Every structure is written in structure tokens, then in C-alpha cells.
Amino acid sequence: MSEIDFSFLDLVRQAVPGATIDTGDSRDMASAFVDREHLVDVCRTLRDHADLQFAFLADLTAVDRLPSSPRFEVVYQLACLGPAFGTGVARRFRLKVRLMNDDARLPTVSGIWPAADWAEREVFDLFGIDFTGHPDLRRVLLPDDWEGHPLRKDHPVQIRKDTSSWSPMQLTEAEFTANMKAAREHAARAARAIVGQRGQGD
Amino acid sequence: MATRTETLTVNMGPQHPSTHGVLRVVLELDGETVVSADPSIGFLHTGIEKTAEQKKWQQIVPLVERMDYLGPQSNSLGFCLSAERLLGIEDAIPERVQYIRVLIAELQRLSSHLVWFATHAMDIGAVSVMMWAFREREQLLNINEMVAGFRMFPSYFRIGGLREDLPRGYKEVVKAFLEKMPGKIDEYESMLTKNQIWIKRTKEIGYLTKEQTLALGLAGPMLRAVGVPYDVRKTFPYSKYETFEFDVPTRTEGDVFARYQVRMDEMRQSVRIGLQALERISPSGAYDCGDYRIVPPPKDRVYTEMEALIQHFLIYSQGFNVPKGDAYVPIEGPRGEQGFYLVSDGTNRPVRVKSRPPSFYAIQALAPMVVNGLIADVVAVIGSTDIVLGDADR
């Protein structure tokens, strides 16, 4: 297997001078830890820098490292598509952010890669990690009334409890009646219009 | 009396045949125009990723196959490649195994595209197309049955190789199928490609720009339909794909019809790759990496040698340890870039198994595609994204 190239990270270090970027050992692609204070700046550089152009966020997920501390790692899988997208070299890069258990929050990157929107919702849903500045941070896979975050290591594997997995449309009774009434009136108007046209034709 | 206008909220799904699983889309309509769309998923969430954390490495292969149930062997290929990278045995996998994997992955792509084609056409009203496509898919399921005795989820790929050798007569059956397939694809196209109803229902709807598609994390046929020739098989090759001759079909229109054309052309390329792989697979040879710490010894040795029996017992009771670290090896699944991010702490069970679900990102991109379009086009757009809810919900 060829050596993993970490040299492009120097471009990021130059562009975002204050950021701590630690390269870890990695078997498949370049990977680095970044501090969350500079996460957004680093991400924007990764996407926009002329020699980097990581325009494709392949996936965003988290890992729970309980009992070690810091407990959480949020993982960003990035790709630069290279000649396929009219840019230089095709590259892959894995960015990670470490988070403490009592302060599991980090800024959203959904403004940089819109793909992160639902992916961050999923991490919030399953790990309970808060993405500050996310436009619509609510559960995506589990029902709204679910308690707990199942992919945390301290979440029991088997729980037996009554679930109400059916989430109703958010309508009051009055709104529902009004909606039905409007639809009926609309149908009646349409029917009258058709009858009227026929009358003219005859 | 003054006319009062208001938007109408329509709940499409979760049990609607054209949502390809159980997807609910809350549509807000102004007359027939879609004002907003809010897809709601999770109805098929079965916690496979959580279950996988409790299992030993080799027990996860059947689990991941059940995520994307139309392309099961693409899932297990992605999982095995990532696990092999963690184990550091990717160079020890024999070429013969890689070619068999390529052949089966391409048959899987054909099978998945046939179901997409059948259901997509049926959604738009071309019901007889479905019968034709399912006829060929049935044969692909029979081929799966030959290799594993199981039609939908064969679990034939294993970490370190394959479960067993190809059965006798397999190559002849596959060869006959692949040689017949281009004619069948022509038949399918003769029903739709120049059909005015089909063109009117699919052209210039569900449009996305190149930048939007990439920013929304869509890869595969969706991205190739806007003119970006990104194919993991070419850009980040795996399993010796770099030695195969094939083209990456692209279109530039970015609408539902372009995605249809890309997938039809992809089926032809899959046949081409499959025939090349068939020629390269030698009649006999190794079907795993031969490292008996990871793959069980062959059955005839297990029944006759004590050491092989012990090794077999160890693998199926304790499993094997995977070195500490993490890996993500992307592959080109039927729906685009697919892959598994695996984290190991050095034991016989993973810390984290995360699939990269192409359908999840495709559903996220549904709203920008259908808003300001007509409600009748929503079904066509959903069909064109080729989503599988088992893949999105996991």
C-alpha cells in the first residue's frame, strides 16, 4: 500500500493559523483531529482553497468512546473528486473533532455542505450531540417522543417499554375541521363549474 | 363573496406504493403546485448499527446485507473491504477472489437497476415494463440461489474472501444470462426511450444543478446525470476495477429523464464488466486469503484434521481480533458511493459500524427537486432518485 499523503494539511495550517491540526495514524486515508473552535474555518478552507476543493462531504457521523475521555468523536468523511469535477488531484480526507461528555456541542457545517443538514440531525438523534447554529435540529430516524440516544454506549441494547411511535400531524381539531371544510367546498365549486360548462355546451 | 385561498397539506405515505418502502412526505400544495415538501423517514429503522456493535466481526455480514435490501452484496462488499483494510490483509486477497467479487457486484447492480427500472416505470404508469424487468431479475435471484442457496441475502462475501467456491455450472449460467442481457435492455428501451408519454412525464422535472447535486452529497447516477463523471470504480479503484475496461456514462440535463438514461447505460457497462470478469475467473483456485486466523479452513480439512477443527471452532466461537484503528473504503454501489466506516478497539467486536447511506442523502435532496413542481411529478422524482428506505433508515 502506498504512503498516505498528509502534506496538503500544511495549506490548511497556513490558511487557518490558530487551528490545532493533529494527524493521527491512519490505515486508509489522511486523517486529522481539529479543535472545534476552528472547525468552521478549517472546513471552509478545505472546501474553497484552490488546491484542496473538498466539495463532497461523503458522510458525517460520530463515535462514542466511553469510558475514555474525551468521550465523543465527530467524524467528517471528505472527498475531492479530482478531474471528474474539473479539479486537481482526487483525494480523501477524514476530519475528526473530539468532544467532552459534559460539553457535547460543536458548530454546524450545514452552511458549508448542505449534505450535513440531515447527517447532523442523525448524530443529534442517535448520540445527543448538539450542533449549534443548525437550522432545524430535530430527530430524523426515531420518533419525536423517544427518550435517550441509542447509539451512546450507555444506552441499553434491549429495552421493553410502551412506545408511541406514531407521531400525529401537528393539527388542532379546529384546523382539521377547517381544512376538511375547505376541501369539500373546493370540490363542490369544481363540480358546479363542470356542470355549468356542460349546460352551455348543450 | 370574496374568494379565500389557502394552501392544502397532503400527507403522502408512509404506505404509498411509489415511495419504495415506507417514506412519508408532508406536501404543502397551492392548487397543484408543491409549495414545500418535508420528507419524514425512520419507519424502517431497525438499529442495525447498534446491533452490529454487539456482534463479532464476521457475524455482521448478514446484518449489513439487510440494510439496502436491493443491493445486499454491495453492502457486504463495502463492509468486507473496510474490515480487510483494518486487518491489513487487502493485499493478501487473491486476484481470483477479487474478480468473483467484481462479477457478483455487477450482477447486483443489474439486479438493483432492474427493480428501480420496474418500479419507476410502474409509478409513471407503464405497468407492463415491470413484468419484463422482473422476468430478468428473477433469473438473477436464481443465480444468487446457485451460489449461496439464498435468493435475496446470500452472505457470500466474507471478511478475507468468499464463503466457498463458485458452484459447478455457475459460469455457464451467468454467461448465457449476460449475453442475452443487452438485447433485453434494448427491448426495455424500445418501450420507453422514445415513448412520448414517458418523455413528457420525465423531461425537465426534478432538476438539480451540478453544484447543488454535489453539495447535497449525492453521488452515483444522480451526479452523473448532471455531467460529473465521478465513479468510485474509476476515481478510487478497489477490487482491481482499474484493470477492467468500461465507460462512465454521463448526461448533462440533470432531470428525471437524464437519470433514466444514465442508469440504462450503466446496465450495459455492467454487462461488459461482468463478461470480462467471467473470462478472468480461473476454473479452480483459491477462494479466500488462506489466513486461517480469519477465514475457517476448508470443510474437508475440518473433518479430518484436529488443528483445522480447532481453528474452525475458534473462529465461530471467539471470532478474531481486529487491530485498533478506523477505516472507510468507498465503493460504487447501485445508488452511488457506499461504504462502511468501521472503528475497532482491538477486540473481536467493533466499536462503531457506520454505513454511508446513499438513499439517506437522496431523500434529503427531495425537497429542492419537487418544490415549485406539480404534485403529479413528485412520484416521478421519487422514482428517479432510486431510494431504498431500508438503506436510509438502517
Side-chain angles (χ1 to χ4, degrees), chain A residues 125-201:
Chain A
D125 189 356
L126 304 178
F127 286 92
I129 292 172
D130 191 13
F131 291 87
T132 47
H134 190 283
D136 182 25
L137 198 64
R138 57 195 162 98
R139 288 189 186 270
V140 61
L141 290 177
L142 298 176
D144 292 337
D145 53 0
W146 189 272
E147 287 165 21
H149 303 285
L151 279 183
R152 289 189 169 203
K153 290 287 179 192
D154 50 6
H155 191 90
V157 176
Q158 285 185 315
I159 45 168
R160 298 205 184 276
K161 65 169 214 164
D162 295 331
T163 52
S164 52
S165 56
W166 172 70
S167 117
M169 292 257 309
Q170 297 302 305
L171 283 180
T172 61
E173 203 179 327
E175 281 170 334
F176 178 74
T177 323
N179 199 346
M180 291 301 284
K181 193 160 164 257
R184 261 191 236 107
E185 282 171 3
H186 180 79
R189 266 200 308 278
R192 275 200 299 277
I194 292 167
V195 172
Q197 278 166 9
R198 279 205 192 128
Q200 282 164 9

Side-chain angles (χ1 to χ4, degrees), chain B residues 2-16:
Chain B
T3 315
R4 191 170 58 96
T5 59
E6 62 183 36
T7 56
L8 189 69
T9 306
V10 173
N11 211 5
M12 184 173 158
Q15 286 289 8
H16 186 281

Side-chain angles (χ1 to χ4, degrees), chain B residues 224-292:
Chain B
R224 291 193 281 274
V226 291
V228 181
Y230 171 59
D231 188 318
V232 186
R233 292 173 293 178
K234 289 271 190 202
T235 312
F236 304 102
Y238 57 95
S239 286
K240 295 262 185 290
Y241 263 110
E242 66 273 22
T243 62
F244 287 87
E245 269 179 40
F246 64 100
D247 302 326
V248 179
T250 54
R251 290 290 184 280
T252 50
E253 293 84 4
D255 57 5
V256 174
F257 190 69
R259 287 170 207 145
Y260 156 77
Q261 285 181 308
V262 165
R263 289 204 181 90
M264 295 312 273
D265 288 353
E266 268 185 39
M267 294 198 335
R268 290 206 171 83
Q269 297 301 325
S270 287
V271 172
R272 206 172 142 195
I273 301 170
L275 286 170
Q276 291 175 46
L278 262 184
E279 268 179 28
R280 297 187 191 182
I281 298 168
S282 50
S284 64
Y287 58 86
D288 56 35
C289 66
D291 184 342
Y292 296 138

Side-chain angles (χ1 to χ4, degrees), chain A residues 1 27-29 56 58-59 61-62 77 84 92 94 96 115 117-118 122 140-141 150 152-153 155 179, chain B residues 8 41-42 50 53 85-86 90 215 229-230 324 326-328 337 341 351-352 354 356 361 364 394:
Chain A
M1 213 181 81
R27 287 156 203 279
D28 53 337
M29 62 177 88
F56 184 59
D59 206 6
T61 186
Q77 311 274 4
R92 287 203 159 258
R94 181 159 55 233
K96 298 189 222 174
D117 185 335
W118 275 32
E122 186 190 307
V140 61
L141 290 177
R152 289 189 169 203
K153 290 287 179 192
H155 191 90
N179 199 346
Chain B
L8 189 69
I41 62 169
K50 180 79 174 173
E53 289 171 13
R85 178 63 59 87
L86 270 179
E90 72 270 22
Y230 171 59
K324 210 170 169 177
D326 53 356
Y328 171 77
E337 181 179 320
Y341 176 59
V351 171
R352 179 90 170 100
K354 171 68 168 75
R356 194 262 165 193
Y361 292 98
Q364 174 173 224
R394 283 155 286 144

